[in-house]
Amino acid sequence: MSDAPLALSASEPLSGPRGSWLAKFFIKIDWLAWAVPAGLLIAWQIASSFGLIPSTVLPSPADVALAGWKLAASGDLFINIGVSTLRALAGLAVGGGIGFVFGFANGLSKLSERLTDTTFQMLRNIPHLALIPLVILWFGIEEEAKLFLVALGVFFPIYLNTLHGIRNVDPQLVEMGRSYGLSSFALLRRVILPGALPSILVGLRFGLGVMWLTLIVAETIAAQSGIGYMAMQAREFMQVDVVVFSVLIYAALGKLADSTARLLEKLCLKWHPAFQDLMG
Amino acid sequence: MSHMREASARQRPDFDGLFREPSIVTGVDLSIKGLGKAFGAKQILRGLDLFVPAGQFVAVVGRSGCGKSTLLRLVAGLDKPSGGTIRFGGEEASVKGNTPVRVMFQEPRLLPWARLLANVEIGLGMRKNAMANNEAALEALRAVGLGDRAQEWPSPLSGGQKQRVALARALVSKPRLLAFDEPLGALDALTRIEMQSLLERVWQRDKFTALLVTHDVAEALTLADRVIMIEDGKITFDINVDLPRPRHRGSVDLALLEERILSLLLRKDADQPEYEI
Ligand SMILES: Nc1ncnc2c1ncn2[C@@H]1O[C@H](COP(=O)(O)OP(=O)(O)O)[C@@H](O)[C@H]1O
Ligand SMILES: [Mg+2]
């Protein structure tokens, strides 16, 4: 991942010579972990080349790569990735933002919790994808439909984990802060928010997973652009290679989101003993 | 050998750092009248009276659960009394955020996500001037012998080091009354002795009023000008300890006094055995 060096912030003294992070990064890659996927890929290619797998069922890796290349060359690929990413991030911002605000409010205020928590817990039990027919009735296949579904999906993990994080801030630390005369705002900023952060970041990671899942489904069913739409379109024309390529794109984007969340954890939780050895 | 001496010189608290300029703020009188505190139906403190003149070091002893921590929390404004008054230097216990009292708890209560310097800065509460805060916090850290570790995280520190940071945090705002709730209770014997002498020297320099809750009678006698004992929600024993400082553990005077206080503490036990034999 090209943004790995962000993990070494400029103010941090580096343990090794400054230029060596790239070398270190490649040494850090666990080659053994990649042996199995690489082996599978080779086996797949061989099986396809010898005609063991019909190309109408599963095209060879080379064909998939070629399809990807063509899509990239025509520019469609990047437009669709851009559209999907924008949708995903918009849904994350809306759903995550609302979840964070309510998680925070309900963690701090008993009144707010009594007003809203039961409602959220009830709604949580509805699988949000089950709302697709309703959402299509409401919004058609406009952008609002995808935004609504993604936001709804992302809301719950972020809400629940923020609430949990705030509730589990060490009350002794809060008491200490009060007794040392911190204002409510300073207490929030210096004690409560950092104390809840590990849990909030866990919520974010779950939220990112739900985000892609929701978007894939929503785009497959109700969209006129995006990667899900690209895959459905290809299905109509029996372009199995494009379908497979789309699936791989989703996998890559999901992995990228997860890695970003992990990186964020490493950056924000440098103080945490569990992350200290990772930081080197 | 020389290498060792060097290391210990670096570790030794730099008092002059903290007190380079003579401290203007000194202790404050503490006067408590008719203090009562009940948790539900349980009356913990009833009609407790206590006057501590400015700069005195008072140790509070008593059996576990007698209300020592409760008294200290009331003085620090962490709880509201159900009756009576607490005054500092003639003034009513002040509005929150503006108390002359600082507390050091049994646990260090350091923020794990803040470096040592930032942790000590918390002790300055809402003071705005960032530069001056930084300076003051660093001096306080130097005073407890951790000046060279200001930019480290708290989690790898030992228990004694964490308590030293907590002490720096309590000292940095130059409190007029410092309340300790068994601050050394969780430390090993050697670290404890070191911390006791650190506390004593800090107090001798700054002359704040000190209220130390402890269950260790020897510790109370080593540090305090006066030892009070709480029983049944009241002060039942109040003695001045007129021994020269620094006091030496194992001196005869100290041992005799300790014997006397311990027998008072234990007498209660003989009257009402907790366990049937
Ligand atoms: N917040 C509270 N609610 C109910 N009971 C309490 C509370 N705090 C202390 N107590 C009770 O008050 C008594 C005295 O407690 P404390 O002052 O902590 O004793 P100690 O002298 O050991 O420090 C104990 O019996 C304890 O159970
Ligand atoms: Mg106690």
Side-chain angles (χ1 to χ4, degrees):
Chain A
M1 208 173 56
S2 62
D3 46 0
L6 273 179
L8 303 165
S9 83
S11 61
E12 284 288 306
L14 292 172
S15 46
R18 197 167 244 283
S20 71
W21 61 265
L22 195 67
K24 252 200 226 159
F25 178 70
F26 279 106
I27 291 166
K28 253 199 200 156
I29 291 182
D30 186 358
W31 296 106
L32 202 60
W34 289 98
V36 173
L40 283 175
L41 200 67
I42 293 168
W44 172 15
Q45 179 65 53
I46 291 172
S48 294
S49 307
F50 283 93
L52 295 176
I53 309 174
S55 65
T56 49
V57 175
L58 190 61
S60 76
D63 289 347
V64 173
L66 190 67
W69 174 252
K70 278 186 193 147
L71 280 170
S74 74
D76 284 357
L77 176 63
F78 300 111
I79 291 171
N80 283 321
I81 287 183
V83 167
S84 290
T85 306
L86 222 61
R87 279 177 189 148
L89 292 182
L92 177 70
V94 172
I98 297 175
F100 179 75
V101 166
F102 273 105
F104 222 84
N106 291 2
L108 295 174
S109 150
K110 263 263 147 329
L111 177 69
S112 168
E113 188 195 343
R114 277 173 56 205
L115 275 174
T116 57
D117 190 60
T118 310
T119 314
F120 290 149
Q121 297 296 344
M122 256 158 44
L123 290 177
R124 185 166 75 97
N125 289 312
I126 306 171
H128 64 292
L129 294 177
L131 295 180
I132 288 182
L134 196 59
V135 169
I136 292 178
L137 280 177
W138 287 347
F139 303 110
I141 53 173
E142 299 301 315
E143 286 309 318
E144 291 93 331
K146 271 85 71 183
L147 185 72
F148 179 84
L149 280 172
V150 174
L152 192 67
V154 168
F155 171 82
F156 288 104
I158 296 206
Y159 166 71
L160 292 172
N161 283 286
T162 305
L163 181 62
H164 177 263
I166 301 273
R167 286 248 187 84
N168 283 285
V169 172
D170 185 351
Q172 290 191 333
L173 291 182
V174 176
E175 188 185 70
M176 182 279 297
R178 282 231 172 80
S179 84
Y180 277 82
L182 295 187
S183 66
S184 304
F185 177 72
L187 203 62
L188 271 184
R189 195 173 64 81
R190 305 199 62 169
V191 181
I192 296 175
L193 190 59
L197 198 58
S199 182
I200 295 174
L201 289 174
V202 169
L204 181 64
R205 257 174 84 184
F206 274 109
L208 287 172
V210 176
M211 173 185 87
W212 282 122
L213 176 78
T214 310
L215 194 67
I216 295 166
V217 176
E219 279 186 349
T220 319
I221 294 170
Q224 283 187 320
S225 55
I227 302 164
Y229 170 76
M230 191 172 86
M232 279 315 273
Q233 193 78 345
R235 183 200 60 108
E236 302 230 323
F237 298 108
M238 298 296 284
Q239 296 167 315
V240 192
D241 46 358
V242 175
V243 176
V244 173
F245 183 72
S246 306
V247 172
L248 292 181
I249 290 288
Y250 270 126
L253 289 177
K255 180 85 180 92
L256 184 66
D258 198 58
S259 304
T260 311
R262 278 167 187 269
L263 184 68
L264 211 60
E265 278 185 347
K266 277 192 208 172
L267 283 176
C268 296
L269 306 180
K270 270 189 281 192
W271 52 271
H272 204 288
F275 287 90
Q276 262 161 20
D277 45 339
L278 289 174
M279 289 308 296
Chain B
M1 189 64 210
S2 74
H3 158 85
M4 270 176 66
R5 203 176 307 128
E6 205 177 288
S8 70
R10 198 163 44 83
Q11 291 296 313
R12 196 172 309 129
D14 166 25
F15 290 104
D16 305 331
L18 185 54
F19 307 105
R20 208 157 280 143
E21 40 197 301
S23 155
I24 355 156
V25 194
T26 46
V28 64
D29 291 347
L30 166 68
S31 68
I32 298 176
K33 288 211 175 68
L35 187 66
K37 177 68 184 174
F39 290 109
K42 250 194 339 190
Q43 189 79 28
I44 306 298
L45 298 177
R46 54 192 101 203
L48 185 142
D49 295 314
L50 175 68
F51 178 79
V52 182
Q56 193 175 48
F57 200 130
V58 179
V60 185
V61 297
R63 298 180 58 80
S64 178
C66 71
K68 303 183 296 290
S69 298
T70 305
L71 171 66
L72 186 132
R73 293 175 59 81
L74 292 174
V75 169
L78 296 175
D79 273 334
K80 295 265 159 293
S82 17
T85 56
I86 299 174
R87 284 165 184 276
F88 302 106
E91 284 167 46
E92 191 76 32
S94 50
V95 272
K96 95 175 216 251
N98 194 23
T99 153
V101 185
R102 283 285 180 258
V103 197
M104 201 177 149
F105 303 93
Q106 174 160 6
E107 320 79 27
R109 303 200 185 183
L110 303 180
L111 303 176
W113 45 83
R115 294 171 198 272
L116 299 190
L117 191 69
N119 260 296
V120 174
E121 271 175 49
I122 294 272
L124 294 165
M126 291 310 292
R127 237 174 64 178
K128 281 281 166 345
N129 188 340
M131 275 290 278
N133 280 5
N134 230 291
E135 217 27 58
L138 198 57
E139 297 246 314
L141 263 180
R142 273 190 215 121
V144 298
L146 290 169
D148 51 345
R149 306 186 66 168
Q151 292 304 328
E152 290 182 24
W153 303 112
S155 56
L157 297 188
S158 72
Q161 288 169 326
K162 283 183 186 160
Q163 273 308 32
R164 267 152 58 194
V165 178
L167 178 63
R169 182 180 62 194
L171 288 173
V172 71
S173 63
K174 310 248 172 190
R176 308 188 63 191
L177 191 154
L178 197 45
F180 304 93
D181 192 356
E182 304 191 16
L184 314 182
L187 304 181
D188 65 273
L190 279 177
T191 314
R192 239 178 127 134
I193 292 171
E194 269 172 26
M195 280 295 285
Q196 283 171 5
S197 82
L198 179 59
L199 277 186
E200 181 173 44
R201 285 149 69 191
V202 162
W203 169 76
Q204 280 177 329
R205 294 268 185 149
D206 224 8
K207 278 294 175 191
F208 46 81
T209 312
L211 193 64
L212 170 74
V213 165
T214 178
H215 53 228
D216 180 351
V217 178
E219 179 172 292
L221 289 171
T222 321
L223 290 174
D225 295 324
R226 177 181 172 197
V227 176
I228 62 177
M229 187 166 117
I230 297 183
E231 239 174 339
D232 299 327
K234 284 199 185 74
I235 293 171
T236 56
F237 180 78
D238 187 339
I239 189 177
N240 286 322
V241 185
D242 292 322
L243 299 175
R245 293 172 189 271
R247 295 172 186 159
H248 298 290
R249 335 187 113 244
S251 83
V252 181
D253 293 332
L254 219 68
L256 285 175
L257 253 177
E258 183 176 352
E259 185 65 39
R260 207 174 126 204
I261 295 176
L262 273 176
S263 71
L264 273 172
L265 281 168
L266 290 168
R267 184 197 59 197
K268 194 75 182 146
D269 206 17
D271 291 350
Q272 315 166 329
E274 272 177 33
Y275 307 100
E276 297 288 329
I277 301 164

